Amino acid sequence: MSSEEAGAGQDEAFEALLHFLKQTRGFDFTGYKRSSLIRRVRRRMDAVGVFEFAAYTDFLQVHPEEFMHLFNTILINVTSFFRDAQAWDYVREHIAPALTESDRPIRVWSAACASGEEAYTVAMVLAERLGESGFLERVKIYATDADEEALNQARLGSYSPRDVEGVPEELREKYFQRTDHAFVFRKDLRRAIIFGRHDLVQDAPISRIDLLICRHTLMYFNADAQAKILTNLHYALNPEGYLFLGRPEMLLTHTELFQPLELKKRIFRPVPRGHARERMDIPRREFVPPLLPVGEDLRQAAFEASRSAEIVVDNDGHLRLVNAHARAWFGIPPSDVGRPLRDLEFSYRPVELRSLIDRAVSEDRPVTARDVLWVGPAGDQRHLDVDVIPLLDAHGESAGVMVSFTDMTRYRRLQDELQTSKRDLETAYEELQSTVEELETTNEELHSTNEELETTNEELQSTNEELETMNEELQSTIEEMETINQELEDRTTELNQSNASLESILAGIRLGVIVADRDLRILAWNRRAEDLWGLREAEVRGEHLLNLDIGLPLEQLRKPIRTVLSHAEQQDLVLDAVTRRGKSIQCVVKCAPRSGAHLT
């Protein structure tokens, strides 16, 4: 498959994806600029690891929760309070006074309001102008957006300290209530703001609006969608209303709908309805029917000197006069003067003169045919305006008509050049505006990406702080463990020394000594015990004393040992025993308590 075929396939798959979004979720993105739209969709596709539009459509069908993430990525909800402060200064100083000078209600529409900052901004501006009671009585603000999630956030009116940095401190103290982690717009004033979902492309506009705020939104749409939206916005505004746009939106190619009031601030007024059409109408020239001059020589000289080609036809339809330009242009010989006009070729070429003459005579007014194309004998083309003017004699009676052919070729050429230049200029303006909008869109995306990176950086910073805290805790724990370890080493050394001393003592005693704990598990077994009973210490350590198989009848020690454990009193007894060499002896056994419940 060639690269062109692959590209066409991707385009079809992308259009199918847009159709799927419109059919399943009601979002129509077909009017958005394709370059920006594809870039935003691909960003979301990269996030989920899908690289084909068709595959992403399937992914959306399987994972419906992805719709929310996709719409949040496409609908760049980047806004702020008092965004472009100089423009808002103009609104506060000029537009707000104009809106509030009468006593009538004020209707404001904040279109594409995102998370609501600009709706609350205009609320603060008007509340400052009218006072809180006047604001609640007269102002109604409609805030709309296509993103339901952004609207939910806007309805809360809750913003972080970072979000309200653009609000002057005195307004922040007056119109926001501070909570533990946020600033909340006052609930009593929020009643004047109505939030609702509205698609600028598909839905009908809100009507009778005095101030329409639609900022940094048109730049995301293509030319056709922009034209449709602007027509709706023009319909929505009152004749004396105001349109407040964003910095990249200049409306250079929509002068038939809006005229700039303050172009640098992007404030526009609607062109009155019907005004554009009226401007297109060309006013009809009113002619005063001339009287025939009295002096023959003067009349003839003036007639010949005219820069237009002119002829005069009497009431009987005969050609009576032809000036020099008419003879030269149409090749009329002197012999044609006096002949009926209907018999002459130029009566129907370049235009049907007889019908124009009949109409001028019957209506008793000048009749004009505009932009008549005529090709001369040499093949040169001329654009003519043909005026048929009724003539009156000295007594006010009809004397015939004068037909004037005015060469408009140069004017037509200049007009065509002007139209071409105007189209080129409009195209350049459109390209410039498109470039500005693209740059602004890219700037918005970069701003959005920067916010995401800042959020990620803050999270990483928080994680780093947590890691540093954990590291300090681990360091403290390590130091504690090292201290404990050192104490353990010291105690081990002491224990080893004690064990060595104990072993030395036990080895020096010429009696057999057995040390057991309270469970009668053997802890020590000296060398004399090894000689007597034939078991080494390693063999008996940890074993139960009464389970040993030696020549001493250990079962007889059970009762004395129990007595020692319960009463801590020494028990002495003599038992018959057999040593390891098989020698029978009488063994004196002493059972005595030890610290730690050991028996000796």
Side-chain angles (χ1 to χ4, degrees), residues 56 74 189 241 320:
Y56 188 57
I74 294 176
L189 298 181
R320 290 303 180 187

Side-chain angles (χ1 to χ4, degrees), residues 158-161 178-183:
S158 178
Y159 301 94
S160 68
R178 181 69 182 268
T179 64
D180 292 340
H181 305 290
F183 288 84

Side-chain angles (χ1 to χ4, degrees), residues 31-61:
Y32 283 61
K33 289 183 178 178
R34 285 298 184 271
S35 59
S36 177
L37 188 59
I38 290 175
R39 186 165 59 248
R40 304 299 296 177
V41 173
R42 283 200 178 277
R43 180 176 180 180
R44 189 59 210 164
M45 290 169 59
D46 292 339
V48 298
V50 178
F51 305 103
E52 299 291 339
F53 293 122
Y56 188 57
T57 303
D58 296 337
F59 184 85
L60 287 170
Q61 292 175 332

